Amino acid sequence: MDSMTDMRILIEQIVADITNDASKLGKVRLWLFLKWLKAHSNKVKEAAQAHIEEAIPDQGCIDERLKNGLKLWFESLPIPWLLWEYRLILDEINWWRVLEDRALLRMLIRAGKK
């Protein structure tokens, strides 16, 4: 196997891990995570940004556009940055997963007042 094939396999696995973990979030937490991802991905190259933005409708969901956007983004990164982003995104998903319901409710109430 060549290094390009290895890189494609690695990126496919990373995207699968991220989308699998994110899909286990409840609807509200998923939506908030996807909003964070959209804001975070402002530094993503333009093509990937468009896919990610299109994939985040008013109601959170994970679809092929998001997967494609993540793939494009990760393909543009050197390995150390790719691995750093992967860990950061998984940590963010976990943060939303373990966030207490009361804290989540307070965040939503504060956001509604703005």
Side-chain angles (χ1 to χ4, degrees), residues 73-90:
W73 180 17
F74 293 143
E75 287 169 356
S76 74
L77 298 174
I79 290 282
W81 293 3
L82 167 68
L83 298 175
W84 186 86
E85 287 291 349
Y86 172 56
R87 184 76 253 150
L88 176 69
I89 292 169
L90 289 181

Side-chain angles (χ1 to χ4, degrees), residues 24-42:
K24 294 176 184 174
L25 294 172
K27 190 175 184 176
V28 171
R29 292 168 193 267
L30 175 59
W31 179 72
L32 291 167
F33 162 71
L34 292 173
K35 284 185 62 145
W36 171 86
L37 182 61
K38 179 179 176 180
H40 177 69
S41 68
N42 280 333

Side-chain angles (χ1 to χ4, degrees), residues 4-77:
M4 289 302 288
T5 302
D6 292 344
M7 185 64 136
R8 274 189 239 113
I9 291 169
L10 174 65
I11 289 172
E12 289 285 335
Q13 185 59 54
I14 285 173
V15 170
D17 289 349
I18 289 169
T19 55
N20 183 50
D21 284 5
S23 69
K24 294 176 184 174
L25 294 172
K27 190 175 184 176
V28 171
R29 292 168 193 267
L30 175 59
W31 179 72
L32 291 167
F33 162 71
L34 292 173
K35 284 185 62 145
W36 171 86
L37 182 61
K38 179 179 176 180
H40 177 69
S41 68
N42 280 333
K43 59 185 171 183
V44 177
K45 69 182 196 177
E46 196 172 308
Q49 177 68 22
H51 281 284
I52 290 171
E53 284 184 5
E54 290 173 9
I56 303 174
D58 290 335
Q59 297 178 356
C61 70
I62 296 173
D63 64 17
E64 289 305 310
R65 293 171 298 180
L66 178 61
K67 292 177 184 179
N68 290 335
L70 289 171
K71 286 178 198 173
L72 285 169
W73 180 17
F74 293 143
E75 287 169 356
S76 74
L77 298 174

Side-chain angles (χ1 to χ4, degrees), residues 93-107:
I93 292 169
N94 189 57
W95 187 86
W96 286 107
R97 185 182 59 77
V98 300
L99 180 65
E100 292 181 5
D101 290 341
R102 287 180 22 198
L104 178 62
L105 183 58
R106 282 193 307 271
M107 288 174 61

